[in-house]
Amino acid sequence: MNTVVQKFTADGITVVGGIPSMTSSPEEIADFAARADVLTVNLGTLDAERRRVILRAVEVVNAAGKPWILDPVHCDYSPSRLAFAQELIALGPTIVRGNAAEMALIGSTGPGLRIQTGEVDRIGSGGEGVRVANGHRWMAEVTGTGCLTGGVIAAFMAVEPDALVAAASALAVTGVAAELAAPLSRGPGSFGVAFLDALSAIGERELLTHARIHYDQD
Amino acid sequence: MNTVVQKFTADGITVVGGIPSMTSSPEEIADFAARADVLTVNLGTLDAERRRVILRAVEVVNAAGKPWILDPVHCDYSPSRLAFAQELIALGPTIVRGNAAEMALIGSTGPGLRIQTGEVDRIGSGGEGVRVANGHRWMAEVTGTGCLTGGVIAAFMAVEPDALVAAASALAVTGVAAELAAPLSRGPGSFGVAFLDALSAIGERELLTHARIHYDQD
Amino acid sequence: MNTVVQKFTADGITVVGGIPSMTSSPEEIADFAARADVLTVNLGTLDAERRRVILRAVEVVNAAGKPWILDPVHCDYSPSRLAFAQELIALGPTIVRGNAAEMALIGSTGPGLRIQTGEVDRIGSGGEGVRVANGHRWMAEVTGTGCLTGGVIAAFMAVEPDALVAAASALAVTGVAAELAAPLSRGPGSFGVAFLDALSAIGERELLTHARIHYDQD
């Protein structure tokens, strides 16, 4: 996980019932990855050592047949970061999640369920896929909501083997939480706080009432 | 301090009157450690360089006869982290603080006052010791409350030479702050914020009214 | 940006309309710096690799004639950090911003507009300069408000070529935001949140009503 949003992402994973652990140490990554039910690879902080650590973590989870999600943060900012994202995609992530600019560079080919988050989140590519239309504009003003959403998707993948179901549910849960949080907030600062509160409290009734999930088929 | 919770911990130390400073640079650690009244070693982020930096910091404070506290975060996740924690314990920390899983591995022998935090915090081992029964369940849903508590213990050790008194007071203060914060909160997000408010405002009257400190003797 | 306050600073830059991006990777820094309209160099976390990365970033923005701001965090804590700050000042930052202890060591010579933040912020040196008298005492109890203020100055420098105008405006905006946030807060925790809310909402009317900017001339 990139260093900017570690606590916010860890809090988000915790309040939905997951147990986050974050390391970028070569000595420890194999032990940590072996304990994990699912791996999130977030490229938001990236140097030579982190690249080695990420490749080792992917090797461990791939060998164990566990799911993993790639978040190619800002791969549109640096050719070397994009090249590394593509190297990772070739290793078969279960899910690749990014914003429109990132996913445009990632392309639609290759393994891994594609998720493009934005005003409307799009899961899958081509004619078939799922759209999730929940969320609030303040999510874009709080650093790390995208990374936190990736963390919640990962937490759901730990208990739901169908990646599309896990992802659609996680996107609906985070989007509805944002919608419930916004009216209780005065701006992006209090929204970030209320968003965690809502994410912690959200239940079946709120989801059934507010989730806007659409299934598209050719 | 591990990178996940640096700001939250720094905020906690600041609002109780301490001045936090965090570095993991080999070039700087000796100067920073020499300025400090007390050192906190938190293993939550750990790689080869951080190990060297930690050993140098401990060397500086040990030579100066200053107190230091070890927080063996997630030493139950990786054998290499546990081995390093034990190497540090041999260097004589004033206090070792961890959760039940961590402290079970650390064992009850060796120098250093043992503190096991949880629903009830236990200071000391064997039949003699102090229990602090303050706190709130939301502390477990906010990443970093344990690390922040370690930081507050350190801040108290800077002005109170008796480690047991410093630790019991710090645990009571953080636990009572949590109890005061919870009724003002809607969930873990707003609880984390209200906890810092309460920690900043807490005074003699709140402590005398709410602290639940018990002294056990064989 | 130092690792302690990355998210808080990124949130502050975002809510005033900037787009923050933070890297300390040697492979990426040139690409990131080339994309940026302005560079902030914050010394709060500093090791050998970060020094190399900072020097490369400065080289890129200097070659492109772009503005940059130096925040010599805690240069009073370590001689090696102070020496590096002075090496950077010789490279001609547009602005150097620090607190009283830091700026006393930096001295008043050399290129770069001097800004000393505190109860009253002072821009410029000698008899001529600008004082900004906005702010609130809780800013000192929230880790990172100084770094965030540096980030807001940088965001303003991206659109205002006159560094003094950009800095005075940014200091007034952050100071007034703090004044508006304080009455809505119960302590430093909720103040940090309300400060981001106010920074996001602040407009021409609040500034004209509350800004206390004084121009001093010999």
Side-chain angles (χ1 to χ4, degrees):
Chain A
M1 182 54 54
N2 76 72
T3 59
V4 180
V5 299
Q6 287 184 328
K7 175 166 157 55
F8 188 55
T9 303
D11 281 338
I13 293 170
T14 302
V15 299
V16 298
I19 301 173
S21 84
M22 297 171 180
T23 184
S24 59
S25 158
E27 296 88 353
E28 300 186 331
I29 187 64
D31 289 319
F32 274 66
R35 284 181 64 101
D37 295 313
V38 56
L39 170 70
T40 297
V41 174
N42 180 300
L43 304 187
T45 309
L46 197 61
D47 54 27
E49 181 161 291
R50 279 184 174 252
R51 285 166 200 246
R52 282 192 299 272
V53 167
I54 288 169
L55 289 171
R56 181 79 181 104
V58 168
E59 190 181 22
V60 170
V61 296
N62 270 353
K66 289 178 190 166
W68 61 287
I69 176 169
L70 173 65
D71 192 340
V73 181
H74 282 340
C75 66
D76 51 328
Y77 276 38
S78 143
S80 83
R81 190 177 287 197
L82 177 60
F84 185 62
Q86 283 164 337
E87 183 182 344
L88 289 171
I89 287 169
L91 297 175
T94 318
I95 288 179
V96 183
R97 185 211 71 83
N99 64 26
E102 291 153 6
M103 296 311 285
L105 284 173
I106 292 297
S108 60
T109 59
L113 183 67
R114 269 175 66 90
I115 303 180
Q116 180 176 311
T117 50
E119 203 172 329
V120 174
D121 305 318
R122 296 173 190 284
I123 309 173
S125 56
E128 198 170 15
V130 169
R131 282 175 295 132
V132 182
N134 294 104
H136 189 274
R137 67 183 170 81
W138 275 339
M139 293 179 90
E141 292 197 47
V142 179
T143 306
T145 48
C147 300
L148 182 152
T149 299
V152 174
I153 295 172
F156 282 30
M157 289 163 72
V159 291
E160 167 54 60
D162 184 327
L164 194 146
V165 172
S169 309
L171 290 167
V173 163
T174 50
V176 170
E179 293 170 15
L180 297 173
L184 304 173
S185 310
R186 276 194 292 247
S190 47
F191 172 74
V193 171
F195 175 59
L196 287 173
D197 286 348
L199 203 53
S200 169
I202 200 167
E204 193 178 345
R205 198 175 50 171
E206 289 85 1
L207 266 182
L208 288 176
T209 311
H210 296 286
R212 292 194 296 279
I213 304 178
H214 306 279
Y215 185 60
D216 301 315
Q217 206 168 359
D218 264 345
Chain B
M1 182 52 57
N2 78 71
T3 60
V4 180
V5 299
Q6 288 185 328
K7 177 169 158 52
F8 188 55
T9 303
D11 281 338
I13 293 170
T14 302
V15 300
V16 299
I19 301 175
S21 84
M22 297 170 181
T23 184
S24 59
S25 158
E27 297 89 351
E28 299 186 331
I29 188 65
D31 289 319
F32 274 66
R35 283 181 65 100
D37 294 313
V38 57
L39 170 71
T40 297
V41 174
N42 178 301
L43 303 187
T45 310
L46 197 61
D47 53 29
E49 181 162 292
R50 280 183 174 253
R51 284 165 201 247
R52 283 192 298 272
V53 167
I54 287 168
L55 290 171
R56 181 81 183 101
V58 169
E59 190 181 23
V60 170
V61 297
N62 270 352
K66 290 178 189 164
W68 61 287
I69 176 170
L70 173 65
D71 191 340
V73 181
H74 283 340
C75 66
D76 51 329
Y77 275 39
S78 143
S80 84
R81 190 176 288 197
L82 177 60
F84 186 62
Q86 283 163 336
E87 183 182 343
L88 289 171
I89 287 168
L91 297 175
T94 317
I95 288 178
V96 183
R97 185 211 70 83
N99 63 27
E102 292 153 3
M103 296 311 284
L105 284 173
I106 293 297
S108 60
T109 60
L113 184 66
R114 269 175 65 91
I115 303 180
Q116 180 177 312
T117 51
E119 203 172 330
V120 173
D121 305 317
R122 296 174 190 284
I123 309 174
S125 55
E128 197 170 16
V130 169
R131 282 176 293 129
V132 182
N134 293 105
H136 189 274
R137 66 180 170 84
W138 275 339
M139 293 179 91
E141 291 197 48
V142 178
T143 307
T145 49
C147 300
L148 183 152
T149 299
V152 173
I153 295 172
F156 281 31
M157 288 164 73
V159 291
E160 168 54 59
D162 185 326
L164 193 146
V165 172
S169 310
L171 290 167
V173 163
T174 49
V176 171
E179 292 169 17
L180 297 173
L184 304 172
S185 310
R186 275 194 292 248
S190 48
F191 172 75
V193 171
F195 175 59
L196 287 173
D197 286 349
L199 203 53
S200 169
I202 200 166
E204 193 177 344
R205 197 175 49 172
E206 288 87 359
L207 266 182
L208 288 176
T209 311
H210 297 287
R212 292 194 295 277
I213 304 179
H214 305 279
Y215 184 60
D216 301 316
Q217 206 168 0
D218 264 344
Chain C
M1 182 54 55
N2 76 72
T3 58
V4 180
V5 300
Q6 288 185 328
K7 177 167 157 56
F8 188 55
T9 303
D11 280 339
I13 293 171
T14 302
V15 299
V16 299
I19 300 174
S21 83
M22 297 169 181
T23 184
S24 59
S25 159
E27 297 89 351
E28 301 186 332
I29 188 64
D31 290 318
F32 274 67
R35 284 181 64 102
D37 294 314
V38 57
L39 170 71
T40 297
V41 174
N42 180 300
L43 303 188
T45 311
L46 197 62
D47 54 28
E49 181 161 291
R50 280 184 174 251
R51 285 165 200 247
R52 283 192 298 271
V53 166
I54 287 169
L55 290 171
R56 181 79 182 106
V58 168
E59 189 180 25
V60 169
V61 297
N62 270 352
K66 289 178 189 165
W68 60 287
I69 177 170
L70 172 66
D71 192 340
V73 181
H74 283 340
C75 66
D76 51 328
Y77 276 39
S78 144
S80 84
R81 191 177 286 198
L82 178 59
F84 186 62
Q86 283 164 335
E87 182 182 344
L88 289 171
I89 287 168
L91 297 174
T94 316
I95 288 177
V96 183
R97 186 212 69 83
N99 64 25
E102 292 153 4
M103 296 311 285
L105 285 174
I106 293 296
S108 59
T109 60
L113 183 66
R114 270 175 65 91
I115 304 180
Q116 180 177 311
T117 51
E119 203 173 330
V120 173
D121 305 318
R122 297 175 189 283
I123 310 175
S125 55
E128 198 171 16
V130 169
R131 283 176 293 130
V132 181
N134 294 105
H136 189 275
R137 67 182 168 84
W138 275 338
M139 293 179 91
E141 289 196 50
V142 179
T143 307
T145 49
C147 300
L148 183 152
T149 299
V152 173
I153 295 172
F156 282 31
M157 289 164 73
V159 291
E160 167 55 59
D162 185 326
L164 192 145
V165 173
S169 310
L171 290 167
V173 163
T174 49
V176 171
E179 293 170 15
L180 298 173
L184 304 172
S185 310
R186 274 194 291 246
S190 48
F191 172 74
V193 171
F195 175 58
L196 287 173
D197 285 349
L199 202 53
S200 169
I202 201 167
E204 193 177 344
R205 198 175 50 171
E206 288 85 0
L207 266 182
L208 288 175
T209 310
H210 297 285
R212 292 194 296 278
I213 304 179
H214 305 279
Y215 184 60
D216 301 315
Q217 205 168 1
D218 265 346

